[in-house]
Amino acid sequence: MSSCRIALFAVSVILLSAPVFALGSTTASGSIAACAGCHADASDRLSHSVHGRPDKRAGDHPTCISCHGKNPHSSTLPARLESTRMCSSCHRNADRMRRYGVSSKAVSSYEQSFHGRMLLRFGKKRAAGCVDCHSKHSIFVPNNSSSSVGREHAVRTCAGCHRGAGQLFAASGTSHPRLKIDRTPLLRLEEEFFKLLTYATVVLLMLVIGLDLRRKVFCAQHSPNSGRVVGMLVALGFSSLTAGLVMAILRVAGAEWAWLSAAGSFAAAFAVYATGRERRIHKPDGSKLYHRFTFAQRAQHVCLALSFTVLVLTGMPLHYADIGWSHYLHLLFGGLDGARTAHRIAAVLMTITWIWHFLFLLYRWRIYGFSSSTWTMLPTRKDLWDFSRTIAYGLGLRSTPPEYDRFQFRQKFDYLAVYWGMPIMVFSGAVLWFEVFFGNRLPSIALDAAYIAHSDEAILAMLAIMIWHLYNTHLDPDHFPMSRAWLSGVLTESEMAREHPAEKARIDAKRD
Ligand code: HEC
Ligand code: HEC
Ligand code: HEC
Ligand code: HEC
Ligand code: HEC
């Protein structure tokens, strides 16, 4: 009995391995034939697929053994990650793809897609790999009616994992965003718009800060409140921080070192500051206090700061998924899943704060008898003048800074930037959160448009905060290490005289 079994086993092993031994010397189509006898179905599918076409150069198209190896029966079937790597190894080869007029960006665009990041960068095995969408053997050009990703079958393909997916969702182009963007002028325009806005904003902000530092640190007439040494260290740290940001955006290696150097400079500045020898700021000057922020306003600011920080810490590692160390930020939230939950909670908190603030503004407007003077954050002609005078002062063309009112143009810019960014982030974020719901109802470019808006606006907001807000409220050598108005709600007389002289004069006139 058992010898009979052994004999059967030996025969089957020989039978199974015979075609494989024969493969070594066969041509590509020959190797399909070698398997066809027993795997008629797979062979039939492969020969009728796009991969069954004739080679222009030997080995261009995959055969059974390109994907299953020389010993298909002794190895396990390729899992999602392996098969995705397998498809990618050919499809990222630009020369090979060019011979057949196929875009080699299919791979890089997949890698940038949500699925690609999840599977390849974050090891989420549930996310779709190439085979899940294109099928394993019956692969066709997408506009072929047999293609699993073409018009006829895409809905079923996506719906296998995304319950309720419809035609528009399936045609959203989110599987290969770059391919879709390159072929859709409107999306390219959106991308260019954000790029231009980001570069213009960053250059402008850096210019104003550079001039401010020049006046405060390097001009003999002005001695910064935190002392000249602190000022120098802050200037050094700010330059490194900016260099690091620019390097990160341009994806030049070494941004981490620039940031380390910035952190070192700020730490050194703080150490010098803490010795207290040079500091004058925050020492009670025994004088009047000027009330600036109510408790409600301070609470709104805390909610905004908290939600913003969490959103950046959890969102940026997704955007920069290819930068390995960025994943460690997720550890703060217990990994990717925790980070995604935190991102959504913070998003809700930010949206509530946005609405809360808007109602607060309306309420204030009402209790002051609908007076337009309650809208203190709206830009005025004076802000334009103040801006040009500030530049002139920074360049040394004027001897005094302008007489700022209740809010400087700096603060208005900060505030209005949030109000420009908020609707963009809230709406694009909602679309990405409920991707099937919105994907089915909005035009087919909506999901990619939301991805571009959400990540590009996030980068712009992060830069504005890290450059402008960080400088004006923390690193400015007159405020270092921070202005305390956000906690106490009050400014001292000397702070008011320096930052808001016009308002101070008005208040003093009323008090007297
Ligand atoms: C003599 C018949 C025969 C030939 C020739 C043959 N196979 Fe198979 N193959 C089988 C049988 C039988 C199975 C097991 C069937 C099953 O589990 O459905 C199998 C299973 C497989 C599997 C699935 C393995 C798994 O882990 O589930 C793959 C892949 C495979 N063959 C690939 C090939 C390739 C590639 C060739 C050509 C190089 C080939 N086979 C040639 C008979 C053959
Ligand atoms: C482009 C790569 C590729 C080529 C070429 C290819 N396969 Fe596959 N095949 C796969 C992948 C990937 C799987 C496993 C998919 C999965 O896990 O569901 C698979 C699964 C199989 C299976 C498992 C049973 C099944 O059908 O689900 C068999 C048998 C098989 N292939 C045989 C063949 C044969 C025979 C050929 C040549 C005619 C061939 N394959 C060519 C990628 C390929
Ligand atoms: C051995 C290299 C090789 C492997 C492996 C390979 N492909 Fe291909 N693929 C090609 C070539 C070459 C073409 C061009 C076919 C032609 O037009 O003759 C092609 C065409 C395609 C097309 C049609 C593109 C178009 O617009 O014409 C799709 C889709 C595709 N492959 C998907 C896949 C998937 C999914 C996998 C993995 C399961 C895979 N390929 C594995 C070489 C490969
Ligand atoms: C989530 C589903 C999905 C995944 C995963 C996926 N694709 Fe696609 N692929 C599509 C769809 C849908 C199209 C049709 C074009 C479009 O809508 O972007 C397409 C188009 C293509 C094309 C044709 C490109 C062109 O020039 O039109 C190639 C080649 C391709 N995919 C290869 C791959 C490879 C290789 C992988 C894995 C690295 C992969 N795809 C992963 C869904 C997917
Ligand atoms: C193998 C299963 C699978 C298939 C097939 C699949 N997806 Fe996905 N997809 C996932 C998983 C898993 C996620 C991550 C879901 C999550 O964790 O929220 C995802 C996420 C997405 C997202 C990102 C949502 C967000 O939060 O930003 C989009 C968009 C998407 N898929 C589109 C598609 C489209 C379009 C198709 C069809 C061409 C498709 N998917 C096919 C598994 C799949």
Side-chain angles (χ1 to χ4, degrees):
M1 180 65 189
S2 74
S3 62
C4 181
R5 269 176 146 191
I6 290 169
L8 245 171
F9 178 73
V11 170
S12 57
V13 167
I14 292 166
L15 268 179
L16 289 181
S17 48
V20 180
F21 287 132
L23 289 174
S25 57
T26 50
T27 60
S29 53
S31 66
I32 296 184
C35 316
C38 302
H39 295 291
D41 188 47
S43 308
D44 198 46
R45 284 167 189 266
L46 185 66
S47 347
H48 286 100
S49 79
V50 69
H51 289 149
R53 292 178 179 171
D55 281 343
K56 288 188 181 161
R57 190 172 293 181
D60 270 354
H61 293 82
T63 63
C64 312
I65 52 165
S66 343
C67 297
H68 290 290
K70 290 210 166 129
N71 300 308
H73 298 142
S74 55
S75 49
T76 50
L77 281 174
R80 192 167 271 150
L81 195 58
E82 285 168 51
S83 59
T84 298
R85 293 208 172 114
M86 210 160 62
C87 311
S88 304
S89 67
C90 274
H91 276 271
R92 81 164 86 246
N93 182 329
D95 287 338
R96 188 187 303 219
M97 288 301 125
R98 205 174 302 121
R99 283 198 282 281
Y100 303 89
V102 177
S103 168
S104 62
K105 282 190 191 163
V107 176
S108 56
S109 62
Y110 164 76
E111 287 168 349
Q112 284 161 13
S113 75
F114 194 87
H115 297 126
R117 286 169 202 229
M118 285 297 138
L119 180 66
L120 302 174
R121 304 287 180 192
F122 292 97
K124 287 277 156 196
K125 304 248 164 60
R126 284 183 309 124
C130 316
V131 168
D132 294 300
C133 295
H134 289 279
S135 86
K136 49 185 186 282
H137 299 142
S138 301
I139 297 173
F140 297 93
V141 178
N143 61 17
N144 183 311
S145 63
S146 310
S147 165
S148 56
V149 297
R151 185 180 273 278
E152 285 79 2
H153 304 290
V155 171
R156 190 151 34 106
T157 302
C158 305
C161 298
H162 296 279
R163 255 212 338 215
Q167 190 66 51
L168 284 172
F169 176 79
S172 61
T174 43
S175 318
H176 298 278
R178 178 50 47 196
L179 292 181
K180 174 102 173 188
I181 295 168
D182 285 350
R183 288 165 193 171
T184 316
L186 207 60
L187 291 174
R188 272 211 315 278
L189 197 72
E190 184 189 358
E191 241 185 8
E192 292 305 319
F193 167 74
F194 275 109
K195 209 186 269 175
L196 194 74
L197 186 68
T198 306
Y199 288 143
T201 309
V202 168
V203 168
L204 182 75
L205 300 186
M206 276 163 41
L207 187 84
V208 179
I209 293 174
L211 290 179
D212 199 57
L213 276 171
R214 187 188 95 83
R215 264 296 185 178
K216 288 183 175 162
V217 181
F218 302 105
C219 281
Q221 305 97 304
H222 190 103
S223 134
N225 269 324
S226 53
R228 197 167 302 278
V229 180
V230 170
M232 297 268 191
L233 287 167
V234 164
L236 182 69
F238 181 75
S239 321
S240 312
L241 180 74
T242 316
L245 283 174
V246 173
M247 286 159 91
I249 292 169
L250 302 179
R251 305 214 167 200
V252 180
E256 293 88 344
W257 296 108
W259 285 336
L260 272 182
S261 143
S265 310
F266 296 143
F270 193 78
V272 173
Y273 172 83
T275 63
R277 234 175 297 142
E278 293 192 74
R279 124 177 78 154
R280 283 202 307 274
I281 196 172
H282 306 321
K283 281 196 183 145
D285 44 11
S287 58
K288 294 182 272 187
L289 290 179
Y290 291 76
H291 198 257
R292 271 184 87 68
F293 299 126
T294 64
F295 181 76
Q297 283 170 314
R298 281 175 279 154
Q300 287 164 25
H301 172 264
V302 168
C303 290
L304 186 65
L306 185 72
S307 54
F308 185 89
T309 309
V310 171
L311 286 165
V312 167
L313 288 177
T314 50
M316 284 302 154
L318 275 186
H319 184 73
Y320 292 107
D322 53 325
I323 300 176
W325 65 260
S326 70
H327 299 201
Y328 292 116
L329 290 178
H330 279 168
L331 293 179
L332 294 172
F333 304 91
L336 176 69
D337 293 324
R340 294 183 73 190
T341 310
H343 197 81
R344 285 159 194 207
I345 295 174
V348 171
L349 177 62
M350 188 181 258
T351 312
I352 291 175
T353 311
W354 182 36
I355 298 170
W356 176 16
H357 182 66
F358 191 65
L359 295 176
F360 172 83
L361 291 179
L362 292 180
Y363 168 74
R364 233 182 28 164
W365 190 40
R366 201 185 69 104
I367 61 169
Y368 286 101
F370 300 105
S371 154
S372 61
S373 68
T374 62
W375 300 92
T376 45
M377 272 299 186
L378 292 181
T380 60
R381 197 169 317 143
K382 176 169 172 9
D383 293 314
L384 265 183
W385 274 113
D386 282 357
F387 175 73
S388 63
R389 289 191 188 116
T390 303
I391 300 287
Y393 172 69
L395 289 170
L397 304 175
R398 273 175 62 100
S399 55
T400 53
E403 300 260 300
Y404 300 114
D405 207 328
R406 173 156 177 83
F407 291 111
Q408 301 184 359
F409 71 86
R410 295 182 170 88
Q411 293 149 341
K412 290 188 183 180
F413 179 87
D414 222 345
Y415 176 87
L416 294 172
V418 174
Y419 268 73
W420 146 265
M422 196 75 96
I424 297 181
M425 296 313 280
V426 169
F427 290 120
S428 60
V431 168
L432 298 178
W433 188 343
F434 305 104
E435 74 275 8
V436 175
F437 178 86
F438 286 108
N440 283 341
R441 285 164 180 79
L442 297 174
S444 74
I445 60 165
L447 286 182
D448 279 327
Y451 272 119
I452 296 175
H454 205 70
S455 56
D456 288 4
E457 176 59 33
I459 290 173
L460 178 59
M462 184 180 71
L463 288 176
I465 292 291
M466 283 183 75
I467 296 177
W468 192 242
H469 191 72
L470 190 72
Y471 178 77
N472 285 319
T473 60
H474 294 271
L475 300 181
D476 178 336
D478 280 338
H479 291 312
F480 189 86
M482 70 177 172
S483 158
R484 301 207 176 172
W486 71 280
L487 283 173
S488 60
V490 296
L491 285 185
T492 62
E493 184 163 17
S494 61
E495 282 170 328
M496 274 302 275
R498 193 182 60 238
E499 306 288 327
H500 309 285
E503 188 193 18
K504 180 173 183 296
R506 219 176 26 248
I507 297 174
D508 290 347
K510 227 183 266 171
R511 277 184 186 174
D512 295 338

